[in-house]
Amino acid sequence: MSATLPKGTGSAPVPAIPRHVLAVAGVVVLGSFMTVLDMTIVNVALDHLSRAFDAPLSVVQWTVTGYSLALATVIPVTAWAVGRYGAKRVFLTAVTLFTLGSGLTGLAWNAGSLITFRVLQGLGGGMIVPVAMTVVLRAAPPERKGTMMGILGIPVLIGPMAGPILGGVFTDALSWRWIFFVNVPVGALTLLLGARVLRGDDERIHRPLDLPGLLTLSPGLAALLYGLTLGGERGTFAGADVVVPLVAGTALVAAFAIRALRAAHPLLDLRLLRRASFGRAVATMVPFSAAYFGSMILVPLYWQQGRGLSATESGLLMAPQFLFSGTVMQFSSRISDRVATRAIVVPGILVAAAGFCAFAVQAGADTPYWRLVASLAVMGTGVGMTNMPVMAAATRGLADGEVAAGSTALNIILQIAASVGTALTALLLTATDGFRTTLLCGVGLMALALPMAVRLPSLSPSGD
């Protein structure tokens, strides 16, 4: 298509998005939505699963932990797999594994089978999002990558809103098994549409698998995230069973990083971080994402423990935050194709931190709900202005052959940032014994993104 969008003030014409690219985006968004939804939909059913299988909550919690560790283990091989087998084949294989794991998890007969099948889900789900990013960013015109990142961000922002609500409804009205069965028809539809819409003629990069890198990064990430998760749950990092995986994981990841900067074909190309646009975007994203994902566990806990609400009620009270975030994200992503990234992201961080701070200072036993929900809506507005423009800034300068490596790196970094944020939040909540102090610490963490955000690209993508 040769049509262009109207010229913006001081900007070159921006080409329209071809229809086949929109079709591809629709398919990968559908697949991505399943995996994002599955990270939150299970949380509200943990108590039901504990009773159903007559298992301690600490054991059933592994349905969440095992899924997250499987994600971390498989994400590092995504870029290599895409280069070796092609994005279409890897995406369809990942969706197949995730769908199969979902169906089997719904049929689980004890806690052991439940956790095993959740790991299978995670092995498929870990590849879906980075491959989805690779497929869409390769197909989109460079001038429209901000818009495409906005479309790709829909599952990330809607999934956490829909997960607790759907999980509560399925668990209360039907059965916990439907939390997993719901993925089967969605996965089948994604496979059908993906086989028809996705193109299999993408450029292959036949390079050897970095086996030393795989043997250090995957177990290193798993150990690191396990230690962070366990320490966060306990509210202390003092125990040997927490310290050992943390130290071992950190050492393995550090060993991988040192080798990756020298290897000819590393499993993950960390040299991308040396580029100003990619490195500064990552440095902005890490503290902001850590604070944001920390709030994702802290705010529901406040609603349920501080105000005595149910999981479904707390999910409904958080819905406006995600509604504002998702709506604003669509506008900010499109604007980021025309103006300097920092002109959107810096105000976005300030707005998000202001809303987060307003919620923190008001968090009490008798604060009217509308004031707290309004504060979360302000925070959601800032998040919508920040997340996807930063991601677009990171990927905009990548060549087609680098997109898979960049997407994989971004997803690993986000996974680590989210785990650090949630673990730190849980630790602070235990240490301070108060929601308000922990929330204010989250505000401070979010504000740490500002120094690097002001150094994001000062020119618009069109070169003005």
Side-chain angles (χ1 to χ4, degrees):
M1 294 179 66
S2 60
T4 59
L5 295 178
K7 180 182 284 191
T9 303
S11 300
V14 181
I17 302 174
R19 291 183 179 178
H20 80 273
V21 175
L22 291 175
V24 167
V27 171
V28 298
V29 163
L30 188 63
S32 299
F33 180 75
M34 293 190 302
T35 65
V36 176
L37 182 72
D38 227 60
M39 295 182 73
T40 57
I41 196 172
V42 179
N43 293 339
V44 299
L46 292 178
D47 186 54
H48 292 266
L49 293 171
S50 178
R51 294 198 304 267
F53 294 123
D54 193 23
L57 191 60
S58 59
V59 173
V60 174
Q61 178 68 31
W62 272 91
T63 58
V64 176
T65 304
Y67 181 84
S68 298
L69 295 182
L71 287 178
T73 301
V74 77
I75 288 176
V77 303
T78 302
W80 172 84
V82 168
R84 178 66 177 83
Y85 300 106
K88 177 179 180 178
R89 185 178 297 179
V90 175
F91 181 78
L92 295 180
T93 300
V95 173
T96 299
L97 282 175
F98 183 84
T99 306
L100 177 63
S102 298
L104 291 173
T105 305
L107 296 173
W109 54 90
N110 59 27
S113 61
L114 182 79
I115 295 168
T116 300
F117 295 141
R118 278 285 285 173
V119 170
L120 178 61
Q121 263 192 308
L123 292 176
M127 285 192 175
I128 290 177
V129 173
V131 176
M133 289 178 61
T134 300
V135 169
V136 171
L137 292 176
R138 281 180 176 177
E143 301 86 354
R144 299 309 305 270
K145 287 190 175 182
T147 301
M148 299 311 299
M149 288 304 299
I151 295 174
L152 285 174
I154 292 175
V156 178
L157 295 167
I158 294 180
M161 173 180 65
I165 298 174
L166 290 178
V169 170
F170 285 145
T171 302
D172 295 337
L174 297 172
S175 164
W176 63 265
R177 298 182 185 275
W178 281 97
I179 291 176
F180 306 105
F181 286 153
V182 69
N183 291 323
V184 176
V186 179
L189 179 61
T190 302
L191 289 172
L192 177 63
L193 295 176
R196 293 173 59 89
V197 171
L198 300 183
R199 296 179 176 179
D201 56 353
D202 53 317
E203 180 183 355
R204 307 288 177 86
I205 302 175
H206 297 285
R207 62 182 183 184
L209 176 63
D210 179 16
L211 189 59
L214 180 62
L215 294 178
T216 51
L217 183 57
S218 288
L221 286 174
L224 181 61
L225 297 182
Y226 171 75
L228 288 170
T229 302
L230 191 60
E233 290 174 356
R234 294 182 177 178
T236 177
F237 291 89
D241 54 347
V242 175
V243 172
V244 170
L246 276 177
V247 172
T250 302
L252 286 170
V253 172
F256 168 80
I258 293 171
R259 182 182 178 279
L261 292 172
R262 302 172 181 173
H265 302 291
L267 185 69
L268 191 65
D269 191 359
L270 296 181
R271 287 167 289 214
L272 293 174
L273 292 170
R274 295 173 178 170
R275 298 188 186 178
S277 58
F278 193 87
R280 292 173 186 176
V282 167
T284 302
M285 186 170 56
V286 167
F288 189 86
S289 297
Y292 175 66
F293 283 103
S295 75
M296 293 292 294
I297 66 165
L298 189 58
V299 174
L301 282 175
Y302 164 74
W303 291 130
Q304 295 174 48
Q305 296 181 7
R307 304 300 291 265
L309 303 178
S310 68
T312 303
E313 289 171 330
S314 64
L316 289 171
L317 285 174
M318 293 183 70
Q321 172 187 347
F322 299 112
L323 179 62
F324 272 76
S325 183
T327 302
V328 172
M329 177 191 65
Q330 296 306 311
F331 291 102
S332 66
S333 299
R334 285 162 172 76
I335 294 172
S336 71
D337 286 326
R338 297 173 173 80
V339 303
T341 303
R342 68 182 183 186
I344 307 169
V345 172
V346 171
I349 294 173
L350 291 172
V351 170
F356 200 4
C357 185
F359 183 90
V361 298
Q362 295 182 93
D366 302 312
T367 308
Y369 289 118
W370 71 266
R371 283 165 51 184
L372 295 169
V373 171
S375 299
L376 289 178
V378 173
M379 177 182 171
T381 299
V383 170
M385 295 170 63
T386 303
N387 275 347
M388 289 307 144
V390 171
M391 296 279 279
T395 59
R396 189 172 280 114
L398 301 181
D400 284 349
E402 298 171 327
V403 170
S407 300
T408 301
L410 287 174
N411 278 275
I412 290 175
I413 291 167
L414 277 175
Q415 183 78 16
I416 295 174
S419 297
V420 170
T422 53
L424 183 61
T425 297
L427 180 64
L428 287 172
L429 187 59
T430 302
T432 62
D433 196 27
F435 285 103
R436 184 169 296 170
T437 302
T438 308
L439 286 163
L440 288 172
C441 289
V443 176
L445 181 60
M446 186 173 284
L448 289 178
L450 278 171
M452 195 56 67
V454 299
R455 300 185 63 196
L456 288 171
S458 58
L459 299 179
S460 68
S462 60
D464 295 343

